[in-house]
Amino acid sequence: MSKAGADEGGAGGCGDSARQLEAKDEKGGTLLSKLPAGPGWTKVSCPCCFSERVEPLVVVKLGGKVGPETKRWLIKMIGAPQKDGGAALLAHPGEDASGDIIVVSAPRCTLLRAAEELGLCKTYRSGDMEAFSYNDRDNFKDSDNMEAFLTLAERQYIVKYELDGLRAQKDLRIPGLPESRMLQKRDNIWQKLSSAGVVVDTFPLHNRKKLKDLGEAWYSGNQLAQPLDSVNDYFGSAVAFYFSFLDFYTWSLLTPAILGLTISYFSGEAQKEMVDSVSGSKVIINDDDSGPMISGHMLQAMFSMIWSTVFMELWKRRSSSLSYRWGTMNLAERFAEPRPNFHGDLGVNPVTGRMEPLFPEWKRDLRMVLVSVPVVGLFLGLVVLGMMCFYWGEAQVKQLHKDWDSLLSQALLYIPSVLHIVYTNMLGNVYRNVAQSLTEYENHREESAFENHLTAKILVFTFFNNFAVLFHIAFFKQDVPLLRKRLASLLIVSQLVNQVTEVVIPFLVDRFISAPHRTESEDDPQEDKFRNQRTLPVFPGLFAEYIELLVQFGYLSLFSCVYPLTAVLLLINNITEIRSDAYKICNLFRKPFSPPVANMGVWQVAFEVLSFVSVISNCWLLLLSPRLQELCREGGLTSTNVLLLAVLGEHVLILIKFIMAALIPDEPDWIRKKREQMEYTSMQALKEQKLQPEVS
C-alpha cells in the first residue's frame, strides 16, 4: 500500500490518473498507492501514523450529481482531525475529482483510540488479554502493526464508526448543495449527506487473497473443523459467533441422533409408529406383554429435556471462552447515537445536552398499541386460518384414502402438510418485511432498541407460525400419529425449501444474471473492481439463519420424542448448512460491516426459553405414550391422578433443570478469574487517572 501524508489536507486537486492508484504489495495483493507529489491519500497529522502502506478498507459511493467541490469538501471532512470536526481518517479520491467513489482507510492513532472506546481487549505484553488503553498502548503486543493488532473486520467497522459519528461543530454550508441542505450545529453529517443523496452507499472492501484462503480452509476442502478464528478476523465476531454456534449445535446433535437411530432400530413400538406415519394407515404388529417398562417414546422425552439444558449451559461456557479469545469480553456500553432513520423535532437531549431529533415516548407507545399490535394480531389470525385449512384438507384426503385405498391416495395424504408448510414459509417471509416496516414506524432512537423490538415481533410470530399447529395436535387433538406425520413433513420439506431458497436460487441468480455484469480482468482499473463489489446484493444479516436454527431446536427439544429420527435429519441438514452458509457469505453477498459482540445476544435467551418450554411439552407428550398409558391403567390410576402426577413430575423436572443450570457455571473458572482481573485493572487505571490532576 502507499505512504500517507503528501496530499495537503486531502482537499486539494483530486488527481486525474487511475494508473497512479495501483500497486502490488509483497504478497501480490492489489493496493492503492500514492505518488511522492500530487494526488493521493489525505495527510496524516500524527507522525506515528505515517506508514509506507495504506490499506483500503471502505468505499464511499457518491451520488451521480455530486460535483467536484462537494467531493473535495467531503474528503477534507473525512481527513480532518477530530478536534476540528473531522473523522481523522484517510481518504483517497479514486481516479479523479469527478469520480463517484472515495476510498477510506484509517491511521494508527484513530484505530487505537476507537479500540479503547469500543472496549476491545487485546494481548498484553504478559501474554494475557487486557482491556486496551490508548495511554498504555506501547505495552500491548503488535500495537505498532495495525494489521496484526486489529482484525480486518474491526478496522473496517472502526471506519464506519467514525464516519457515522461525524457531527457539525457549527452551522455549515455544504459546497455544491443548496442552502436548504445546510448543516445545523450538532447535525449528524453522514445522515444528512445520505438524505441529500450525496452519499449513496458505504461498504467494506473484500480482500481477495484473504477471502480465497478463507474459502479454501472453510468450505472448499474436506475438513470438518471450521476456521473460526479466521472467520472472526475477516467477517467479525457477530458472524463468527453464529458459525461457532452452528458448529457446536451440529456436533451436539450426534448424541440424540445415535439415540434416535437406536430407538428406531430396536424398539418395536417405534418401528410400528414410523411405519404408521409413512403409510398413513394403522399397521398391526404382533406384540406381547414382555416389552420393557420404559418405552423408546419415554426415553426420548426424558433425554430431550436433559439434553437441551446441558447443551445450552455448555454453549454459554464455550461462548465466554470465545469472547475472551476474540477480545470482546469487556465491550464498553456507550450512550448510543440516534439511528440513521430516527426522526423528530429538533431539541436538546436531556442526557447529553446536545441538539438532536427528539420523539416523545408516548407517541411511540401509541403507535405500538394502535398499529403494531393489531397488525401482528392480524398475521397471527392468518396463522390460525392456515391451520384450519390444514385440518380441513387433512380430513378430505383421509376420507379419499379410505374410499380409494391406493398408492395415489396414500401419496395424497401428505399434500395438506406440504401445502401448509409452503403457506407458513411464505407468510413468514411477508411478515418479516411487515415487521421491519412496523418497527421503523415506531421510530426508535437507538439501534439496539430497534433490533430488540424487531426481534421480539419476529420471535412471537415465528413461535406461533411454526409450533402452533404442532401444539394444537399434541395438546388438544392428542393425535400422536398426525403429530408424527406433520413433524416428518416439516423436517423434510422445510429443509428442502430452505436449501433451495437460501443457496440454489442465489447461486443461480449470481452465476447467470449478476456475474456476467461483474466480469473483470487484471488490467481493469482498481476503482472498477471496487465498484464491482457493490453490484453484489447486500448481506441480509443473520436473522433468518438464527430463526432457522431456533425452529430446528424447537422441533428437536419439544417434539422429537414422537419422531426419534428428528436429530438424524437435522444433523444431515446442518453438515451441509455449514458449508452452504459459508459459501453464501463469501461469494453471493457484499462483505458486511460487523460490530464486535460478546455473545449471540437476544438469540441466546430465545434458545433458553425453548429449552424451558421443552420440559412442559415433553411431560405432556409422555402422557400420550402408549406404554405409560398402559402402566397407568394397570395401576388403576384415574385420569385426574395421572394429570396430577404429570404436573408434579413437570415441577420436579423443572427443578432438576434449574439445579443442572446452577451446577454448570456459565463460564469456565479461568475465564471468570481473567474477567475479574480485567475489572480490577480497569478500576486501578481509573484511580490513577483521577489522582493525576490532583498531583499536578
Side-chain angles (χ1 to χ4, degrees), residues 171-200:
D171 292 353
L172 287 173
R173 182 182 177 278
I174 303 174
L177 296 187
E179 292 285 344
S180 60
R181 295 294 185 178
M182 186 172 178
L183 290 168
Q184 305 294 324
K185 184 178 180 180
R186 296 302 308 163
D187 273 355
N188 187 295
I189 296 175
W190 214 249
Q191 291 179 18
K192 285 283 187 177
L193 293 175
S194 298
S195 62
V198 175
V199 174
V200 176

Side-chain angles (χ1 to χ4, degrees), residues 364-379 431 434-435 437-442 444 453 457:
R364 183 177 299 113
D365 294 339
L366 201 62
R367 290 183 176 187
M368 286 191 283
V369 172
L370 297 181
V371 180
S372 296
V373 172
V375 172
V376 172
L378 173 64
F379 273 86
Y431 178 79
V434 172
S437 300
L438 287 174
T439 314
E440 284 285 1
Y441 177 69
E442 291 166 5
H444 296 279
H453 280 81
K457 290 183 184 70

Side-chain angles (χ1 to χ4, degrees), residues 415-437:
I415 294 298
S417 288
V418 172
L419 291 177
H420 187 240
I421 291 167
V422 173
Y423 172 79
T424 55
N425 284 339
M426 292 174 60
L427 192 63
N429 291 331
V430 173
Y431 178 79
R432 287 192 192 100
N433 295 327
V434 172
Q436 182 88 20
S437 300

Side-chain angles (χ1 to χ4, degrees), residues 111-151:
L111 290 171
L112 293 180
R113 287 195 175 95
E116 182 180 26
E117 275 189 55
L118 294 171
L120 297 178
C121 297
K122 294 298 172 183
T123 307
Y124 204 63
R125 61 183 177 184
S126 62
D128 295 328
M129 297 292 284
E130 298 287 351
F132 177 72
S133 170
Y134 181 80
N135 293 331
D136 194 27
R137 58 189 179 278
D138 293 334
N139 288 319
F140 282 83
K141 184 181 177 183
D142 293 324
S143 62
D144 56 342
N145 180 4
M146 290 300 96
E147 294 187 30
F149 185 69
L150 295 169
T151 67

Side-chain angles (χ1 to χ4, degrees), residues 238-258:
V239 174
F241 267 112
Y242 164 72
F243 280 99
S244 178
F245 180 77
L246 176 57
D247 181 79
F248 186 78
Y249 169 57
T250 299
W251 298 118
S252 296
L253 289 171
L254 274 174
T255 308
I258 292 171

